[in-house]
Amino acid sequence: MRFLMGRSLFRRTAIAGSLLQILSLMCTNVSAEIFQDITFISDPTASLTKGNVAVNTTGNSKISENTNKNHTAEIGVWFYANQYLNTIPNGVLEKLEAWKINTIYFAGTDIDDWKNMTTRNTYFNFIQYAKDNGMRVYGVTLEDPSFALMSAEELEETFRRFVNITRGLFDAYVIDVEPHAILGPDVHTFIPEYIRMSHILSWVSQEEGVRYIDTVPYWYHRAIRQIGISPGLDILASDGVNLMTYSYTSNQTLENIKELQSEIKKPVTISIKITPGQRAPHLKTSELSEMIDEFNLQRLNFTLYEAQFILSR
């Protein structure tokens, strides 16, 4: 046990030391609170151990490597389970299978939902049915920009509680946190907060033995580089990243991600908005088949936002 505690402390120290070096050198106006929380990652009860530690830019590489063996291209869909009461019909899965969906992003739930035994059974039965039919199911959590502003202690506790209460159900955990929505467009403000959060969640996921995936707009890669961090999205500590795209045509979607494909080393999935609304462009219905064919041709991982649009057709 003492060895495990020491290993955990070493991992925290490595992450914290790397982050402090990067952010202090490249982000001159990073707030004192961020530095304080990074120090907590190192050791909640001790001062930060400084050292020249290499940055973990690929997440939990062992988990990623083992998971990606014999990996088939992902065709996913964002599925908001909170839109259903008491039961999720099996017919839902059949419709998704007709679209050749093989991965479900199980979203719209929180810890209180999973504490409610009726709701939990509804979710459990659907997830188990999906997995029995060969689907991968990812648990989506932390679906609010405010999570990026939490203290390290609060963030760790919230993420760990969700993982533990859903233990064994999901193939990976996906977060959907966009701090620019509340902090505004200044990249020197929201980017350091996101990087800090990513590294905290990464070490928690490694402690718990699960995979963790970030979800960010595709332009975050350029935003990170804009403040002098050349790896871009590879500076995040997750096992993969969802790139959200917003465009009306398949050509524009492909153009948005063209350069990113060669620049990002981390496993990438392209999230395509197909549902109208939310004051953002969406892929035209007439373009959808062409888009899917092109992504399949290039063997690109992609996911569609979101299931209700597909199920209503």
Side-chain angles (χ1 to χ4, degrees), residues 20 74-75 114 132 164 176-177 181 268 312:
L20 280 171
E74 176 184 312
I75 306 177
W114 290 96
D132 287 346
N164 284 329
D176 185 11
V177 180
V268 168
S312 65

Side-chain angles (χ1 to χ4, degrees), residues 246-257:
Y246 308 93
S247 57
Y248 291 109
T249 67
S250 55
N251 286 339
Q252 185 60 57
T253 300
L254 290 168
E255 187 65 28
N256 288 342
I257 65 170

Side-chain angles (χ1 to χ4, degrees), residues 76-80 83-84 92 95-96 99 101 247-248 272-278 280-289 291-292 303-313:
V77 68
W78 290 78
F79 179 82
Y80 285 85
Q83 298 184 14
Y84 294 86
V92 167
K95 287 186 178 180
L96 297 181
W99 283 75
I101 300 296
S247 57
Y248 291 109
I272 307 167
K273 184 177 183 293
I274 60 173
T275 303
Q278 299 178 334
H282 65 279
L283 189 69
K284 295 177 181 177
T285 304
S286 58
E287 299 266 339
L288 185 54
S289 295
M291 180 86 272
I292 292 176
T303 184
L304 304 174
Y305 179 87
E306 41 91 23
Q308 290 305 315
F309 182 77
I310 291 176
L311 296 172
S312 65
R313 300 190 64 76

Side-chain angles (χ1 to χ4, degrees), residues 109-156:
T109 75
D110 58 26
I111 291 172
D112 287 338
D113 293 329
W114 290 96
K115 285 182 177 179
N116 181 300
M117 290 309 298
T118 300
T119 306
R120 182 184 180 86
N121 287 336
T122 297
Y123 294 165
F124 176 86
N125 291 337
F126 178 76
I127 292 169
Q128 198 59 52
Y129 182 68
K131 296 178 83 169
D132 287 346
N133 281 271
M135 293 272 191
R136 290 185 291 262
V137 185
Y138 296 164
V140 182
T141 185
L142 308 185
E143 298 178 74
D144 192 275
S146 62
F147 286 108
L149 307 183
M150 276 186 171
S151 69
E153 297 103 320
E154 292 175 309
L155 189 59
E156 173 195 348

Side-chain angles (χ1 to χ4, degrees), residues 22 44 82 89 92 105 140 171 193 196 235 239 262 264 275 299 306 309:
I22 293 167
N82 56 348
V92 167
Y105 287 66
V140 182
D171 298 289
E193 292 285 7
R196 175 193 72 101
I235 202 64
D239 298 293
S262 60
I264 302 174
T275 303
R299 291 192 60 78
E306 41 91 23
F309 182 77

Side-chain angles (χ1 to χ4, degrees), residues 39-257:
T39 302
F40 169 81
I41 302 172
S42 167
D43 184 355
T45 62
S47 59
L48 177 67
T49 301
K50 294 183 179 179
N52 185 18
V53 185
V55 178
N56 172 14
T57 60
T58 56
N60 188 342
S61 57
K62 272 188 181 175
I63 294 178
S64 299
E65 180 183 346
N66 293 337
T67 306
N68 286 326
K69 287 179 180 178
N70 303 319
H71 176 72
T72 56
E74 176 184 312
I75 306 177
V77 68
W78 290 78
F79 179 82
Y80 285 85
N82 56 348
Q83 298 184 14
Y84 294 86
L85 294 175
N86 301 323
T87 185
I88 303 176
N90 290 344
V92 167
L93 190 70
E94 295 167 4
K95 287 186 178 180
L96 297 181
E97 287 178 324
W99 283 75
K100 300 183 179 179
I101 300 296
N102 59 28
T103 306
I104 294 173
Y105 287 66
F106 199 82
T109 75
D110 58 26
I111 291 172
D112 287 338
D113 293 329
W114 290 96
K115 285 182 177 179
N116 181 300
M117 290 309 298
T118 300
T119 306
R120 182 184 180 86
N121 287 336
T122 297
Y123 294 165
F124 176 86
N125 291 337
F126 178 76
I127 292 169
Q128 198 59 52
Y129 182 68
K131 296 178 83 169
D132 287 346
N133 281 271
M135 293 272 191
R136 290 185 291 262
V137 185
Y138 296 164
V140 182
T141 185
L142 308 185
E143 298 178 74
D144 192 275
S146 62
F147 286 108
L149 307 183
M150 276 186 171
S151 69
E153 297 103 320
E154 292 175 309
L155 189 59
E156 173 195 348
E157 180 185 4
T158 302
F159 185 46
R160 197 184 296 277
R161 285 177 63 200
F162 190 88
V163 169
N164 284 329
I165 205 168
T166 59
R167 176 75 64 183
L169 284 177
F170 297 120
D171 298 289
Y173 289 87
V174 180
I175 68 161
D176 185 11
V177 180
E178 301 176 55
H180 65 276
I182 55 177
L183 291 177
D186 183 2
V187 294
H188 291 88
T189 301
F190 71 81
I191 288 299
E193 292 285 7
Y194 197 94
I195 294 173
R196 175 193 72 101
M197 177 189 68
S198 177
H199 283 256
I200 293 170
L201 296 179
S202 175
W203 81 254
V204 173
S205 70
Q206 292 181 50
E207 289 282 329
E208 297 296 336
V210 299
R211 295 176 63 226
Y212 141 61
I213 299 169
D214 282 301
T215 301
V216 297
Y218 73 94
W219 51 265
Y220 264 42
H221 183 65
R222 293 283 177 265
I224 295 173
R225 286 187 159 191
Q226 184 179 332
I227 61 174
I229 302 178
S230 58
L233 284 171
D234 282 320
I235 202 64
L236 302 182
S238 55
D239 298 293
V241 60
N242 262 304
L243 296 181
M244 295 183 291
T245 62
Y246 308 93
S247 57
Y248 291 109
T249 67
S250 55
N251 286 339
Q252 185 60 57
T253 300
L254 290 168
E255 187 65 28
N256 288 342
I257 65 170

